[in-house]
Amino acid sequence: MLLLLTAAAQAATLTGFAALPADTFIPGPTSGQLIKAANGRHPPWVDQQPVQGFSALVKGGADSYFVLSDNGFGTRDNSADFLLSIYHIYPDFRTAAGGSGTIQVGNTIHLSDPAAYLPYPVTRTDRQLTGADLDPESFRRGSDGSFWIGEEFNPSLLHFSTGGLLLAPPFKLSGLNSVGNPSNAPANLPRSRGFEGMALSADGMWLYPMLEGALENTPEDREAGLNIYAFSIEEEIFVNSNAGNPSFRYKLDQGATAIGDFTMFSETCGLVIERDSGERDKALLKKVYKIDLEQLDEDGFLIKTLVADLLNINDPDDLDQDGNVIFSFPFWTIEGLVVLNATTLGIVNDNNYPVGQARDNSGTQPDNNEFILIEVDPLWD
């Protein structure tokens, strides 16, 4: 059993930095045909797909990681030519001991539904899935190497093979539908507020998908908090089948608008990225909190303990090479989090290519995909 430490958090320290250039592409069908020029980039990209929009992160083998793309360019209407993908990446972190600070993209797994498990028509005749079909926002790897993905357009859990093939119909909760969902079901959740985070239990038996927004039919929606559900991987069923009966509830800070990710590091303890919707100098709240599923406040919400303020990170070795000893991660969306050991977290941004602009105010440079390592106070002893 882990002994949890609850002392006040000290400022985190940047111990590793790597970046993938914004203009990184892989071969594929022409993309960006339905979006406008931004930050000096002029789509479409002929016979290319941008490697962008990292919405979730899990550890791979050795020094590699898997990152999940989101739906592409932000909406169903503009992302029908973006292929949903899982990228196998290899960061060479710049640390105090050296390193190039670069990221190499290895194998790409494109998601598909050849058996037609999705209960609505998809965009492509070859049934490769696009950003008009799904909005994948969270994922975990099962013990067999398969992928469980949390989806936002039609909030559900999706099970994909190691090669990206959908293995079963979506696993849905009764009474949970987002605005603009592909099934045209009556909605009780704002658009893009589905399963943004999803933790995997330490024993690999349970998934804990977490909504990004509050259900709209609850009294004082914001005060109702964000719902976390429990899903049995072995039985392939939610513990409570109705969306109005979550297993846990999480309350955002004042000023926060969403969570970015949720991951577990012990039997009962996990971390949540909490954020506002600002970027660059308008970013005011980007934090990592620790929660314990066995510790609730008097109102039934999970008790939170601050682990890191991502806008105030010590950088004594200037690993991002900006000339400053304080590092900030001021991106609009920060959506990937992995616990590497008791004191080291890995975090990636979603760069929202080509519109994200947290690092540059000239209107000419979209954000890179950045991957940072930070040292925090021990999460366990």
Side-chain angles (χ1 to χ4, degrees), residues 315-350:
D315 184 15
D317 299 303
D318 190 19
L319 297 181
D320 67 334
Q321 298 181 340
D322 69 348
N324 297 313
V325 295
I326 298 296
F327 175 83
S328 179
F329 212 55
F331 297 98
W332 171 23
T333 45
I334 303 169
E335 300 188 349
L337 170 66
V338 63
V339 179
L340 297 176
N341 57 51
T343 59
T344 305
L345 309 181
I347 300 174
V348 296
N349 67 311
D350 171 354

Side-chain angles (χ1 to χ4, degrees), residues 8-23:
Q10 302 298 310
T13 298
L14 189 69
T15 59
F17 178 89
L20 183 71
D23 300 315

Side-chain angles (χ1 to χ4, degrees), residues 145-180:
S146 63
F147 296 98
W148 288 90
I149 290 179
E151 204 272 329
E152 282 204 324
F153 283 158
N154 199 37
S156 58
L157 299 187
L158 302 165
H159 192 197
F160 288 88
S161 72
T162 56
L165 305 182
L166 188 61
L167 297 174
F171 298 96
K172 274 187 62 64
L173 284 160
S174 175
L176 181 61
N177 298 291
S178 292
V179 171

Side-chain angles (χ1 to χ4, degrees), residues 52-71:
Q52 62 93 26
F54 295 169
S55 64
L57 169 72
V58 297
K59 187 73 176 69
D63 297 322
S64 72
Y65 298 80
F66 291 97
V67 287
L68 176 70
S69 75
D70 59 14
N71 89 302

